[in-house]
Amino acid sequence: MNIKEKLEKYLGKSITESGNKEIYFSLVKLCNELSAERKTPETKKKLYYISAEFLIGKLLSNNLINLGIYDRVKELLCENKKSLSEIEECEIEPSLGNGGLGRLAACFMDSIATLGLNGDGIGLLYHLGLFRQSFKNNMQTETPDYWMEEEGWLIDTGKEYEVDFGGKKAISKMYDILVPGYEKNLSKLHLFDIKSIDENIITQGISFDKTNIEKNLTLFLYPDDSDEDGRMLRIYQEYFMVSSAAQLIVEEAQLRGCNLYDLNEYAAVQINDTHPAMIIPELIRILCEKGIDFEKACETVQKTCAYTNHTVMAEALEKWNGIALQRTLPKMMEIIEKLDEKVRKKYSNEDLYILDDHKRVHMANMAIHYGYSINGVAKLHTNILKTSALNSFYRAYPHKFNNKTNGITFRRWLLKANPCLTGFIAELLGDDFKRDASLLKGLEAYKDDTSVLEKFADIKLGNKRMLKEYLAKEHNISVDENSIFDIQIKRLHEYKRQQLNAIYLIDKFLEIKEGKLPASSITAIFGAKAAPSYVAAKDIIHLILTLSKVVENDEEAKKFLKIVFIPNYNVTNAEKLIPACDISEQISLASKEASGTGNMKMMLNGAVTLGTLDGANVEIESLVGKDNIYIFGASSGEIATKIDSYNPKSVWENNPRLSRALDFITCPEMINAGNKERLERLKINLSESDYFMALYDFEDYKKTKNKMIEDYKDKTAWARKMLMNTANSGYFSSDRTIEEYNNDIWKLGKI
Ligand SMILES: *Cc1c(COP(=O)(O)O)cnc(C)c1O
């Protein structure tokens, strides 16, 4: 194929005469054309991965890599005095996800396609995404995240479905994003949009009339649900998604010869968290409508659907108001009530009921009863589900429970994000690790080879320089590439404990002012969005931003400590931050982080984890060994016994340094630079409630982090740790995860 001819045909002129944006759109066309030529392997059974989020990131480079034309395109552009990386800047990152769960779904799509599974993704087309974050007066502000473009990746399939909102009909339009696998194969991401959408109803920031469902339905991901209208909107969104999905699934199965009594032989539906759980009653409704009796429909759907649990935190498991559901989606509620009756006939344990005393619908409970599989997302998490969080269900259905430790796609998080390291590994091991990540283990043979270790350190330094340039150019922030890059990037949530990191930094600042200097100067980098109505999370953002100003204003301290908060954390900036990371902060309260995937991305890129024994950190530790990870803090077992009687006061009263750091939050310097109300509220929250026990783990965190910063001085020993982390990260390839899902849950069978 002559790429130049194709591009110039799309452009209608030569590459040299074209602008970057025009070239970008012509490359999108080229990728879509090449992808469309690929075939999805046909099997009798087809997988549908349904998720409220797909945090896919920019697609151009990833698709060029997977289509096998990255190098050729790059060269061609270079010959014509154009730069692929500048052209990539023209792409706007799609805003279809929020955090780890959405990123997981995106990695899974890449692996499903690469492994040649007959499977598609299903989600919603949010016109304005989650929100775009910026900082004003050290606080988060939210604006709509416009990302859709006329000639972007979305393909209008022309398919439409009718969705019935309790008598009112809406039209659902299906758009596709093509997902080419690495070297071969293709999957599709189907995104449904309401036809009557109207972006003009946005009034200010991200506010709009929440009751105008026809116009607002697919505007935002996770619209504010702190009031009843917001909660209703979310129910409508979920139903719109699953109703469109169920119609598509049934239609495709019938086209392949399914008689619907045997739907489970034609379709496997993976429910990613509880948001799509209503696909269960919706599929039952459709089967009944097509003449199948209720009992048989339940049985068939139960053999078709499987549920992935992503959290043990009760407040994050969806419970919808059954009375409101009755009013808006009476057909759904009627079926859910019947499903609950069946449960009540069989079990007396109230924990297992779908409807509780307040007539709230427990979506996870419905998904476990009426699905054939429930999986957790890391070994520890699945064990917690079995032994405590969902123990009643485990006793009722031990055979349904299984673990699928999360993974990440190495195409994006190594090949694309870290080309220097990829190139060096290819020199050492050949190219096969690009197809089979377990081969990275071969790096271990070089763990005492000083020239290899030096090269590892050089590559990291190079990546840190690139991040430095990016920060200077985009955010007017200057950092020292010779300092240790200590990075915590993830959603802002109290259980992830950015506040623990912040207290450490306060203590470090005060120590520096006393003349106690750190072993290496530190650049602490944060990136995190807070949910718009989550006050405590926004207070923590405010604390870190204010602290960063106070440190910056101190001529002495700023030589040793720099605090950076990158606005609008997303996949695009993750790809720049992760290859430059030295210390990977994974410091959640043990038992609360189901898995984490940021930890895996950083490990792959040679960062050393500073973490609690939580989520997949447990598995990272057993893979890399104790010398190559820094573990601190209470175990999940200890937390389980202590959390109910925990009193933070007893911790800070006995730790003068800790109480000094807490007092600093509301000292005159801070209040001058920040907002008194926010800082005071946060201090009270930490010193009186500390729901996620940050203070409890502070002393051990401090000791362990200081040791890490000390150890960093031995460049060779540190480079060995880097190498050992990369070498042992193969297990976290999402190809491995998806193979396990297919072998144990979907069983799509032979082509
Ligand atoms: C990987 C990733 C996450 C998840 O990070 P965790 O540390 O696992 O919470 C969130 N957001 C983005 C943009 C990511 O790339």
Side-chain angles (χ1 to χ4, degrees), residues 55 93 98-104 107 406 408 412-413 488-491 495-496 568-575 578 585-586 593 595-602:
L55 191 53
E93 176 176 336
N98 156 50
L101 174 143
R103 185 52 232 171
L104 183 78
C107 285
N406 281 168
I408 56 174
R412 181 175 291 269
W413 296 108
Q488 187 170 20
I489 42 177
K490 46 184 77 250
R491 281 304 298 260
Y495 85 80
K496 291 180 181 276
N568 203 42
Y569 177 53
N570 59 12
V571 176
T572 306
N573 49 48
E575 287 167 10
I578 290 169
E585 297 266 357
Q586 309 299 337
E593 185 72 271
S595 162
T597 51
N599 47 2
M600 300 168 187
K601 298 170 202 164
M602 294 200 203

